[in-house]
Amino acid sequence: MIENVTGRRLKTTQASLEILSLILEHDGLTLAELDSMVDSSKSSICSHLNTLLESRYLVKHDGVYHVSFRVALLGERARHRYPNDEVVERVVDELARATDQEANFTIFEHGRLLMCYGSSTEEGRDANGTRYRSEYHLHNTAAGKAILAELDRDEVESIIDYWGLPRESEGTITNPDQLFDALDEIATKKYAVVDEEFAPNLIAIGAPVHDGDGRIVGGLSVGGPKYQVDMTRLEREFADELLNAVESLESALT
């Protein structure tokens, strides 16, 4: 869900985090490169960089700024709130082997899905030509749509207001009314499917994963190219495998 922030926000902090995110996304940037990307003066950008360096969130080598290993350590601490790596890897690997397709476990935070772990058989890996990312929208992914179907309407509207409904494929739902119609149908099931909504020729099935208190912590999904698996097989064969895998993950969170 989108956190309802009502207090004062600092533009300087937002600017520093934007710079940090850009450096991470591009696997290192120079001051000149950042100057062409950020809507601030070069001296201001330099001040943000110096602050991030002093705080040990960045390192600098030969004029190139990189995200520090300290950031990775902070991320590892955040992972402790979720199923441990061994359980996630075992469950996702088993789901990928059972279906011969790509399986992913993602974390649900701030109205987005963040990649935690993905697995694929050799066949699925060779056939799946879609780009690999670390963050995903909810409205055009199987796990994301399944999560949206469980949320209250005002929560879904908040997510739409914040992130929009960007088109990433010809089949992406970009109209809110059409999305809510789809969510009403999904709510009668325990899972959601996407048919070329995230990328051309790709289909998937996904479901939410809850902790012991019933809170949605993420989503599990599996899918692949349409020439390997069709929508009928996706729901008839993959649905049971998916829901069994979800149950295994949720058992680790109780």
Side-chain angles (χ1 to χ4, degrees), residues 21-165:
S21 297
L22 284 170
I23 292 172
L24 179 61
E25 178 183 347
H26 292 272
D27 197 22
L29 290 169
T30 64
L31 174 58
E33 289 170 330
L34 282 165
D35 187 36
S36 67
M37 299 177 181
V38 180
D39 187 20
S40 296
S41 66
K42 183 175 287 188
S43 62
S44 177
I45 295 171
C46 192
S47 295
H48 287 293
L49 290 170
N50 288 337
T51 300
L52 290 167
L53 279 170
E54 186 176 356
S55 301
R56 297 187 293 132
Y57 293 121
L58 292 179
V59 293
K60 183 180 179 182
H61 298 297
D62 298 327
V64 180
Y65 295 89
H66 294 276
V67 173
S68 71
F69 189 72
R70 181 169 186 249
V71 175
L73 295 178
L74 295 174
E76 283 301 313
R77 292 194 176 189
R79 292 177 72 99
H80 294 331
R81 294 184 288 114
Y82 301 102
N84 68 62
D85 290 346
E86 289 184 5
V87 173
V88 169
E89 291 179 15
R90 174 179 59 79
V91 171
V92 176
D93 285 345
E94 288 175 355
L95 180 59
R97 285 195 297 269
T99 59
D100 280 332
Q101 297 300 329
E102 180 179 328
N104 296 302
F105 175 61
T106 46
I107 300 297
F108 174 48
E109 283 186 348
H110 298 287
R112 295 270 275 181
L113 290 178
L114 309 179
M115 176 63 74
C116 180
Y117 181 74
S119 180
S120 178
T121 62
E122 286 300 323
E123 180 182 5
R125 186 181 300 115
D126 292 340
N128 189 348
T130 187
R131 58 197 183 281
Y132 183 86
R133 301 191 323 208
S134 58
E135 289 194 31
Y136 302 87
H137 289 286
L138 300 182
H139 70 290
N140 66 335
T141 55
K145 287 171 69 177
I147 288 171
L148 287 174
E150 284 199 9
L151 299 179
D152 294 336
R153 186 182 178 97
D154 58 343
E155 292 180 286
V156 178
E157 289 175 342
S158 294
I159 291 171
I160 293 173
D161 289 343
Y162 193 88
W163 294 109
L165 298 174

Side-chain angles (χ1 to χ4, degrees), residues 238-254:
F238 288 12
D240 287 341
E241 297 285 356
L242 172 71
L243 296 177
N244 288 337
V246 167
E247 185 176 346
S248 296
L249 283 180
E250 292 181 340
S251 295
L253 285 167
T254 56

